[in-house]
Structure formats: C-alpha cells, structure tokens
Amino acid sequence: MKNLDELRSSLGVLIDGVIEYHDTLPSTQARARELAGEGAGRAVVVAGEQTAGRGRVARRWESPGGSGLYFSVLFRPALPAGAVHMVNIAAALSVAETVRSLLGLELELKWPNDLLIEREREFRKVCGILSESVLRNGALDYCVTGIGLNLYAPPTLTPELKDRAGWLCVRGDKINRVRVKLLSGVVENFFGWVCVMEREGAGLLLKEYRERCASVGRVVRVETDSEILTGLCSGIGDDGELMVETPEGTRRFHVADVTHARLEG
C-alpha cells in the first residue's frame, strides 16, 4: 500500500480530489475532516497504522500497523441532513460486496453497520464503520466515512482484540497482493450506492440491506443508554431502524448496540 502512485492510479478514476497515504496517523477520520475544512470536495485518506483510531461513541478502534486496511472517505453528497445512518449502511454493503468479489468470503452484516466473519463456529467483528457529518445552514455540508477492515491478526493481541475481533486471512495469504484492489473496490461500490441514494432515495439500498442483514429473524440483545432488552428482530424500517418484537409490542431503534444470540447446534 506504500506505493502512492499505484494508489492514485487506482482511485484517481473514482474521485476527483485528494488521495493521501500515511505510514502512521492518529486518525484518518481527523485528517479527512481537516481536508474538508481546507475546502476539499472529495478525498480518500489511508493509513498503515492509526494511533488514535475511533469507533462509535468515542470507542477506540485498534489499528496496528501491517494488520488492516484503515481509511476515511470525504465527500459532499446531495442527501438529506439526516441521512448519515444510511451512509453507514451503504458502506457496510460496499465492504461485503468487495470482499465477496475479490476474496470469495461471505461476511455477516449485523445492524447497523458491523461486519462479522465466521471462524470455528463463532462470529467475530472484522470491520467497523463510522460516518460523521457536518451541517451548514441546516443542510448537509460534508460527510466523512471511516472504515477499518481487519486483514491479519497482529503479532500481539490486546485483551479486547483477542475476545472480539476477527480477521479475513492468515499471514502469507494472497490478500497482500490485493490491498489496493480491496480499497478501490470498496470506494467504487460506496460511491455507487451514494449516487443511487442521491438519484432515487434509499429504497433500493434498504431492499438490498434487508436481504443481506443477518440480524433480521434473529434473537438480538439491544443495549441503549437507558435500557437493555432481548427480542426477535422482525425487520429493518424505512428509516433504516431496527424493529424488535417484545412482549410489549414492536420496538424501533435508530441507535443502539446489538448482539446476536449465539447459534446452537
């Protein structure tokens, strides 16, 4: 990935904007926001390692060097101000599509935007996505979507990584030869979905996501800032929300942490 010319050649046909690679960055997300402040329309910022990578609600995203694909995409979409959660869904579908196409691996999509891989009958998180947006005069000014995709297990595992994380491949696999293709494939698919939403709204995106989302039909544990409950996920609503059947009726969640019940057998 250190060949910036290869990176620019691959991404240059997809974006008319800034393309950066850094061996080490605190956060690709923070650097992309800096570029937005400098007036960039589109940008892709890639790092070999992040020292302060972030997940949702300020959680740390472990980003050790040589073990993952860490990048953020800056863009200025013609979308409603409240559409950032749909952007997350578009990014999740884009990663799953690209990994299946290039590596032949099926990833499980857990609402709203986590991707899991099955290893020894357990599903582990292999990709995290964080989208942040900025409004100007009530309208969406720009959006930055960060993606962290675990490629290999790092030589040293923190307790958190050991308990929760998964990886696409073992070291020495062919993935080293397709890093740039993985990156450009995700970016291409992502912008494709964004264009569909700009032209037609989120209907087609949600149709695809409903068909692929493994949370649907599963017993899920839902945790919010104020409560924890368990119920059957009956579907994804028209705003991308999670629908959960409980003894009190159908509950809808736009923001929550979700865990799938362990499969038996």
Side-chain angles (χ1 to χ4, degrees), residues 50-251:
Q50 293 183 113
T51 58
R54 291 187 300 111
R56 201 176 69 81
V57 293
R59 293 173 181 150
R60 180 178 176 83
W61 180 263
E62 299 287 346
S63 312
S67 296
L69 186 58
Y70 318 117
F71 63 100
S72 291
V73 181
L74 161 68
F75 58 109
R76 299 180 186 269
L79 294 173
V84 65
H85 60 291
M86 296 295 186
V87 168
N88 277 332
I89 288 175
L93 283 173
S94 299
V95 172
E97 291 166 359
T98 305
V99 168
R100 179 173 56 184
S101 173
L102 287 179
L103 300 176
L105 297 174
E106 291 291 342
L107 301 183
E108 181 171 280
L109 277 69
K110 178 171 72 71
W111 185 91
N113 56 354
D114 286 343
L115 291 104
L116 313 178
I117 192 166
E118 185 177 14
R119 291 285 187 255
E120 298 179 352
R121 294 181 60 79
E122 286 198 0
F123 284 90
R124 299 292 188 100
K125 185 171 178 177
V126 73
C127 181
I129 297 166
L130 174 66
S131 290
E132 300 172 303
S133 60
V134 170
L135 305 182
R136 185 185 298 274
N137 299 323
L140 187 61
D141 184 21
Y142 69 83
C143 184
V144 176
T145 295
I147 297 174
L149 182 59
N150 298 336
L151 304 183
Y152 304 109
T156 302
L157 288 175
T158 66
E160 183 177 6
L161 284 179
K162 186 176 181 179
D163 292 340
R164 299 179 59 190
W167 294 270
L168 291 182
C169 298
V170 297
R171 291 192 179 275
D173 278 354
K174 62 181 181 180
I175 199 169
N176 255 335
R177 301 192 294 272
V178 297
R179 281 178 184 253
V180 172
K181 288 184 178 180
L182 269 174
L183 173 61
S184 60
V186 172
V187 172
E188 181 176 12
N189 286 329
F190 179 59
F191 279 136
W193 277 119
V194 171
C195 287
V196 168
M197 287 194 290
E198 288 176 328
R199 292 194 314 264
E200 305 174 18
L204 187 60
L205 176 77
L206 284 172
K207 180 179 182 296
E208 180 72 15
Y209 185 69
R210 286 171 177 136
E211 292 175 355
R212 298 286 306 277
C213 182
S215 301
V216 177
R218 296 278 287 272
V219 175
V220 295
R221 179 181 183 270
V222 182
E223 181 175 354
T224 70
D225 291 338
S226 59
E227 65 177 330
I228 300 175
L229 62 85
T230 300
L232 177 69
C233 174
S234 57
I236 306 297
D238 290 340
D239 289 327
E241 74 275 22
L242 188 77
M243 301 166 60
V244 180
E245 301 303 321
T246 73
E248 292 75 32
T250 302
R251 297 283 304 278

Side-chain angles (χ1 to χ4, degrees), residues 30-46:
R31 175 56 186 154
R33 291 199 309 271
E34 288 177 358
L35 291 170
E38 295 167 6
R42 279 187 173 184
V44 176
V45 180
V46 187

